[in-house]
């Protein structure tokens, strides 16, 4: 997991390959993207544009992926996350849905909680549980994107 901001990435003289993808997507004005999936580079890079309402912790599920890196970027509003600091081998998970590259679960041990504001982002790598879309105090509107990057392509 990596926490950063778009201005921090923009200020780098030599951004990483993943950071270049983030900057390229942000240059496309993702607030104007259609809600749902927006293809950038086939199955290698796509963006899920989300316009929704945050949830209470008990009403949200944690998710994990095996093939894709998730870069969550808040465009407007605030969003809280819960995530443990441990990585899991998804190949040995009984409830992992390989077709959708995801498993969902409600009870993840040792979750740490943090909040993102506008233009802040968090990157989750394959095997890292994360519970997004949580409200800070009460459920509220959130505008965000999740950039999905195929890990073995990067």
């Amino acid at each position: 997991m990596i926490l950063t901001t778009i201005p921090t990435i923009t200020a780098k003289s030599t951004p990483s390959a993943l950071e270049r993808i983030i900057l390229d997507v942000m240059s496309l004005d993702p607030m104007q993207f259609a809600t749902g999936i927006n293809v950038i580079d086939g199955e290698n890079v796509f963006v899920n544009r989300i316009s929704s309402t945050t949830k209470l912790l008990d009403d949200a599920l944690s998710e994990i992926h095996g093939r894709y890196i998730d870069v969550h970027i808040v465009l407007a509003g605030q969003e809280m996350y819960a995530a443990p600091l441990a990585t899991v081998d998804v190949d040995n998970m009984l409830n992992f849905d390989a077709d959708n590259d995801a498993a969902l679960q409600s009870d993840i041990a040792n979750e740490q909680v943090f909040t993102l504001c506008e233009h802040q982002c968090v990157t989750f790598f394959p095997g890292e549980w994360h519970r997004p879309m949580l409200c800070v105090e009460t459920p509220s509107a959130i505008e965000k994107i999740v950039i999905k990057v195929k890990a073995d392509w990067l």
Side-chain angles (χ1 to χ4, degrees):
M1 174 176 59
I2 298 172
L3 289 165
T4 191
T5 68
I6 299 304
T8 299
I9 296 171
T10 303
K12 290 187 172 185
S13 59
T14 54
S16 69
L18 182 58
E19 290 169 331
R20 281 193 302 277
I21 292 168
I22 294 167
L23 293 174
D24 288 348
V25 168
M26 292 304 291
S27 75
L28 299 173
D29 192 10
M31 188 67 107
Q32 303 307 315
F33 285 9
T35 301
I37 302 300
N38 295 264
V39 176
I40 304 298
D41 184 3
E43 290 187 1
N44 296 323
V45 181
F46 57 93
V47 175
N48 186 5
R49 173 68 169 85
I50 299 167
S51 179
S52 191
T53 303
T54 56
K55 302 174 185 176
L56 298 171
L57 181 74
D58 291 341
D59 295 334
L61 295 172
S62 287
E63 60 187 58
I64 194 168
H65 308 288
R67 296 187 315 268
Y68 283 89
I69 298 166
D70 270 11
V71 181
H72 294 247
I73 303 172
V74 174
L75 302 174
Q78 290 184 323
E79 178 183 20
M80 197 167 74
Y81 290 78
L85 299 179
T87 301
V88 175
D89 180 4
V90 296
D91 292 333
N92 296 322
M93 294 183 66
L94 296 177
N95 64 343
F96 190 78
D97 179 352
D99 291 338
N100 292 311
D101 189 43
L104 301 173
Q105 194 165 313
S106 61
D107 56 340
I108 303 299
N110 302 315
E111 287 180 311
Q112 306 292 312
V113 177
F114 58 93
T115 301
L116 293 185
C117 300
E118 293 178 19
H119 304 291
Q120 294 179 330
C121 59
V122 60
T123 302
F124 296 102
F125 294 90
E128 293 182 334
W129 282 103
H130 51 287
R131 190 183 308 237
M133 298 294 298
L134 303 176
C135 62
V136 175
E137 292 180 11
T138 59
S140 60
I142 184 76
E143 301 291 334
K144 67 179 281 185
I145 59 172
V146 179
I147 304 172
K148 305 283 286 184
V149 180
K150 199 168 193 181
D152 64 4
W153 175 80
L154 187 63

